[in-house]
Amino acid sequence: MGGKMEIVRGTDLKENKGRFGMVYGVSKVGKSTSCIESMPKKLLVLHCERRNPDSSFEAIENKYPDIRSKVDFGLLQKQEELLDVLHLEILKTAKNGIFTFNNTEYRSLLVDSLSHFLNVEVITEMENQTKKAEIFKIRRDIIDSYRLDEMAYGSLASIGHRICNVLKTISQQGIFVIVVASGVENPKWNRALVFAPGFAGKKFGNEFMVHLDFCGMVHQRTNEQGEILYPPYISFKSPNNDFVAEWTGRHLPKHTGIFDFKKILPEMYKNE
């Protein structure tokens, strides 16, 4: 008895221009705004934080007056619905570089932010459901729904891997997929690093890179007078291996430059 195996032709791989990457950095450095400005349109942002997403437009609206018509936000009512949206809505329709959501076609997907979703929303919901289960002797739905047997960081890593697995699969349909993460100094999961994505728990922190085509650290750009410039810089290589960075694919002339995906991955924009 043999199982079924999908055969993918080399010519099909050449046509697949989807990518799955992560960008991270300190708060307010311009991670989300740079993604919204430079990712292929039309763009869907799955907004996982509680802040007003309108702030992301402020730095770019004067330069791109029509940006609001090219970007939509998905505001999740319940944070545990993220996997359902990715599996049942986006992956189900993703094909040939396009996915459909609410009868609208999109070319790119931005998850903002994965670190907030895992570190704040999921952990808070786990704590709430555990306390409720202890009081009322009921099941912890969010944990059971992810088929987890342990609490805390082991469960968190499982959820993180499931999210990244489906995002990677979506990108393999030709979709440009980016996740945003906060950055922290000397992360608990690897104290040897000076700076890295701020994921709680050692397990996911040490394993998330296996899913990604690239990971870039976003950092401030200034002029000779010390004035902050926009867009910021992004680095895809750490010369001293003291911060997390990775790049796979075609050769980059330089591994640190202005954060603009149109210049970093021009092949993603042939149909725009």
Side-chain angles (χ1 to χ4, degrees):
M1 296 179 65
K4 293 182 178 179
M5 180 176 67
E6 180 184 5
I7 301 297
V8 180
R9 298 180 185 278
T11 52
D12 294 334
L13 291 174
K14 184 177 180 181
E15 292 301 318
N16 178 5
K17 300 299 182 182
R19 300 278 276 172
F20 177 34
M22 177 183 292
V23 300
Y24 73 98
V26 298
S27 178
K28 308 297 183 183
V29 74
K31 306 181 295 294
S32 302
T33 304
S34 297
C35 287
I36 288 171
E37 176 182 347
S38 66
M39 288 178 71
K41 309 298 186 292
K42 193 166 187 171
L43 166 66
L44 176 63
V45 182
L46 293 183
H47 192 67
C48 300
E49 300 186 14
R50 304 297 183 180
R51 61 182 173 82
N52 188 344
D54 189 64
S55 61
S56 300
F57 290 115
E58 293 178 355
I60 55 177
E61 197 165 19
N62 288 337
K63 185 178 179 181
Y64 300 100
D66 62 342
I67 188 68
R68 291 179 183 270
S69 66
K70 296 182 178 181
V71 181
D72 292 339
F73 286 82
L75 307 177
L76 299 178
Q77 298 300 313
K78 294 183 179 180
Q79 297 301 329
E80 62 266 30
E81 293 177 351
L82 176 58
L83 269 172
D84 284 343
V85 170
L86 293 175
H87 271 291
L88 304 178
E89 302 286 346
I90 296 177
L91 179 58
K92 186 177 180 180
T93 64
K95 187 177 181 180
N96 298 326
I98 297 289
F99 69 89
T100 303
F101 189 79
N102 283 352
N103 298 316
T104 301
E105 290 187 343
Y106 298 94
R107 297 186 59 227
S108 300
L109 176 66
L110 176 65
V111 178
D112 188 12
S113 75
L114 182 60
S115 56
H116 177 89
F117 176 80
L118 293 175
N119 297 355
V120 178
E121 302 296 343
V122 173
I123 286 182
T124 298
E125 186 64 19
M126 283 181 173
E127 291 173 346
N128 290 342
Q129 291 197 13
T130 298
K131 181 178 290 186
K132 190 175 180 181
E134 291 171 350
I135 295 173
F136 298 103
K137 307 299 181 184
I138 59 176
R139 294 177 63 191
R140 299 167 297 173
D141 292 337
I142 188 171
I143 299 171
D144 293 335
S145 69
Y146 288 115
R147 301 177 61 84
L148 302 172
D149 298 322
E150 58 180 341
M151 281 291 291
Y153 300 131
S155 299
L156 200 68
S158 297
I159 295 171
H161 283 306
R162 289 191 65 189
I163 291 171
C164 286
N165 279 333
V166 68
L167 289 172
K168 180 66 176 180
T169 305
I170 291 169
S171 75
Q172 290 169 347
Q173 300 303 313
I175 311 299
F176 193 22
V177 180
I178 298 292
V179 293
V180 175
S182 61
V184 296
E185 297 179 355
N186 306 117
K188 292 181 179 180
W189 51 270
N190 187 344
R191 293 296 193 186
L193 292 170
V194 176
F195 199 65
F199 295 116
K202 291 184 178 181
K203 187 172 178 58
F204 187 65
N206 283 297
E207 296 173 349
F208 71 90
M209 289 288 288
V210 301
H211 301 284
L212 303 174
D213 296 319
F214 60 85
C215 180
M217 181 186 72
V218 184
H219 46 108
Q220 197 175 82
R221 183 167 68 100
T222 60
N223 59 19
E224 294 180 354
Q225 291 72 42
E227 298 170 328
I228 297 175
L229 301 177
Y230 178 85
Y233 284 127
I234 188 167
S235 295
F236 295 106
K237 185 176 182 179
S238 176
N240 299 318
N241 295 318
D242 55 357
F243 65 88
V244 172
E246 182 71 30
W247 179 266
T248 59
R250 67 172 181 80
H251 173 71
L252 287 178
K254 54 183 180 179
H255 287 89
T256 294
I258 293 175
F259 188 171
D260 183 350
F261 280 126
K262 290 182 179 179
K263 296 179 180 179
I264 298 167
L265 290 166
E267 63 270 21
M268 296 295 301
Y269 298 82
K270 290 183 178 180
N271 297 323
E272 190 173 65

